[in-house]
Amino acid sequence: MDIARTPRTPHTPQASRTLRIPGFDYRRVEVAEGVALNVAVGGSGSPVVLLHGFPQTHLMWRHVAAELAVDHTVICPDLRGYGDSDKPVDVDGLTYSKRAMAADVVALARALGFDRFVLAGHDRGALVAVRAGLDHPEAVTRLVSLDVLPTADMWEVMRGRSAAVGFHLYLMAQPPGLPERMIAASADEFFGYFLDGWTRDPAAIPAEVRAAYLAASRDAVPSIVADCRASARIDVEHDEADRAAGRKLRMPVTVLQQDWGAALGFDAEGLWRGWAEDLVHETVECGHFMAEEAPGVVVRAVRGAARGRGEGA
């Protein structure tokens, strides 16, 4: 698929990449006081919102978004703190809570004219999607999660030597200061490590796209760290409070996941059933960046969620 290129102007935000999803319109939408999101919108029909993961931007959806836009209005934002979206300073540990980021997503959809929508997320975006489903069940009609566990479960399964796979999460969970300085000192090497190591098919992330991800991440170290730090603190508190109260995802949920359980010794589907009774859980063979490595699989899952399980979105 071709990538559209936009010439830089003096008013282009510092983190802006020249790559865009062809055929999509771009705009900035205010979703909270002092926070506007960069969003790509394309297609027509019932709405599907796609949330990117780490260390990426909305561009990771370029293949999936183009296919879904044939019969859906597809909304692809950069999450707060990422890409060309605003990056507010985290002063209280709440700014990058998944609750705040989920509220952004609901406000974005409403600003674009949609009160209800299918929501799909990858990695960090999937954690935001789960929180949106728990906090805003009236808005999220179907939920699709790509290659994560809910936050509280994620921390519980990483024990002993197996926890080394999540070393970056432990680093970014530390108090403000040292993690930001360490990562900023070697940002391309740090973020590039995950883009390279988590991809089974290197061709899935072409050099120009990889460079765009690195540049965007390099420009966003403090907010990316704050996002991950929140997942070790306030996000776990929110998950544990919901679990204690017996709150679950009320909408149908589809999960695509690598076989983490075989490697780390846990039952991924069983953990997800603790949060979602109406669940389809599928193990995939591609790498972590499945929207780029296996876009057809992801398109099928999102379309199935939107159309094949009860009434359409």
Side-chain angles (χ1 to χ4, degrees):
M1 174 184 176
D2 292 334
I3 299 294
R5 291 167 178 77
T6 302
R8 294 183 182 273
T9 73
H11 302 290
T12 302
Q14 181 182 8
S16 179
R17 303 306 106 207
T18 59
L19 305 185
R20 293 188 168 195
I21 302 176
F24 275 56
D25 294 326
Y26 279 73
R27 63 196 78 173
R28 288 178 63 79
V29 178
E30 186 172 358
V31 294
E33 184 175 356
V35 180
L37 301 186
N38 174 59
V39 58
V41 183
S44 62
S46 59
V48 175
V49 180
L50 305 176
L51 306 179
H52 67 84
F54 161 95
Q56 298 168 294
T57 68
H58 76 281
L59 192 63
M60 63 155 281
W61 295 109
R62 59 196 180 277
H63 306 305
V64 172
E67 289 294 325
L68 291 176
V70 172
D71 43 22
H72 292 283
T73 299
V74 182
I75 302 166
C76 302
D78 289 332
L79 296 168
R80 74 158 65 187
Y82 290 80
D84 282 337
S85 290
D86 286 344
K87 304 170 179 63
V89 175
D90 184 22
V91 296
D92 56 8
L94 303 177
T95 304
Y96 290 93
S97 71
K98 302 310 152 297
R99 175 158 288 163
M101 298 170 83
D104 289 348
V105 173
V106 174
L108 171 64
R110 287 177 179 161
L112 296 175
F114 301 107
D115 291 327
R116 289 164 58 78
F117 50 90
V118 173
L119 181 58
H122 172 254
D123 191 85
R124 312 301 300 172
L127 300 181
V128 175
V130 169
R131 177 44 55 191
L134 290 166
D135 286 359
H136 305 278
E138 76 290 346
V140 181
T141 61
R142 307 284 193 275
L143 192 150
V144 180
S145 169
L146 307 185
D147 217 30
V148 294
L149 292 173
T151 304
D153 294 303
M154 174 185 71
W155 286 108
E156 289 171 2
V157 302
M158 290 195 299
R159 296 194 178 99
R161 288 182 295 173
S162 66
V165 71
F167 79 92
H168 59 298
L169 299 176
Y170 288 91
L171 171 62
M172 290 188 277
Q174 302 310 309
L178 182 62
E180 290 87 346
R181 291 194 297 273
M182 290 178 65
I183 294 169
S186 55
D188 284 6
E189 291 79 4
F190 180 78
F191 295 113
Y193 172 87
F194 304 104
L195 291 172
D196 299 338
W198 291 352
T199 305
R200 293 191 188 182
D201 177 13
I205 304 180
E208 61 185 354
V209 174
R210 184 182 186 276
Y213 292 155
L214 290 180
S217 298
R218 189 189 315 130
D219 289 345
V221 170
S223 51
I224 291 175
V225 174
D227 169 27
C228 292
R229 182 178 291 120
S231 289
R233 301 184 182 188
I234 189 63
D235 294 342
V236 174
E237 293 179 20
H238 290 158
D239 275 13
E240 290 178 342
D242 281 339
R243 188 154 54 187
R247 284 189 286 270
K248 296 186 178 184
L249 295 162
R250 303 202 312 243
M251 68 290 300
V253 176
T254 299
V255 175
L256 301 183
Q257 203 154 26
Q258 296 181 89
D259 196 1
W260 289 13
L264 302 180
F266 63 87
D267 176 7
E269 182 174 353
L271 292 174
W272 270 104
R273 288 204 180 277
W275 292 98
E277 294 178 354
D278 187 350
L279 175 71
V280 170
H281 188 281
E282 182 178 343
T283 301
V284 297
E285 296 300 323
C286 61
H288 179 63
F289 301 111
M290 54 187 65
E292 292 168 291
E293 294 189 60
V297 173
V298 177
V299 169
R300 174 179 54 78
V302 177
R303 278 213 174 108
R307 294 176 161 188
R309 304 178 64 193
E311 83 258 26

